[in-house]
């Protein structure tokens, strides 16, 4: 499986699993962007990960954490 920026929920799930001690409410977008790029299954253009998609990932991660 290959992750793209549109796979917001799956990215959020993988971040929640790989960063269990992190509270997603306090993650800045620079770190979030780097963490998404570092996911083993992620393979998309890094420049497509703008603020809107990062906000969506963060919101999904917060939802996943609750």
């Amino acid at each position: 499986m290959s992750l793209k920026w549109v796979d917001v929920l799956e990215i959020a799930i993988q971040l929640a699993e790989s960063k269990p001690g992190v509270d997603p409410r306090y993650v800045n977008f620079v770190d979030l962007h780097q963490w998404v790029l570092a996911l083993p299954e992620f393979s998309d253009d890094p420049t497509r990960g703008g603020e809107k998609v990062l906000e969506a990932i963060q919101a999904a991660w917060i939802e996943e954490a609750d």
Side-chain angles (χ1 to χ4, degrees):
M1 178 183 167
S2 172
L3 289 176
K4 306 289 185 196
W5 288 113
V6 295
D7 301 315
V8 170
L9 183 57
E10 184 58 34
I11 289 171
I13 290 168
Q14 288 198 20
L15 287 170
E17 291 173 355
S18 67
K19 308 268 184 216
V22 173
D23 186 337
R25 294 174 294 179
Y26 303 107
V27 174
N28 67 59
F29 286 164
V30 173
D31 289 340
L32 182 56
H33 190 268
Q34 290 301 315
W35 293 346
V36 172
L37 296 179
L39 290 173
E41 297 177 12
F42 187 80
S43 64
D44 202 352
D45 182 354
T47 63
R48 297 191 61 204
E51 189 171 329
K52 294 250 187 236
V53 72
L54 292 172
E55 284 176 356
I57 291 167
Q58 186 178 36
W61 187 1
I62 290 168
E63 192 70 27
E64 191 66 28
D66 287 344

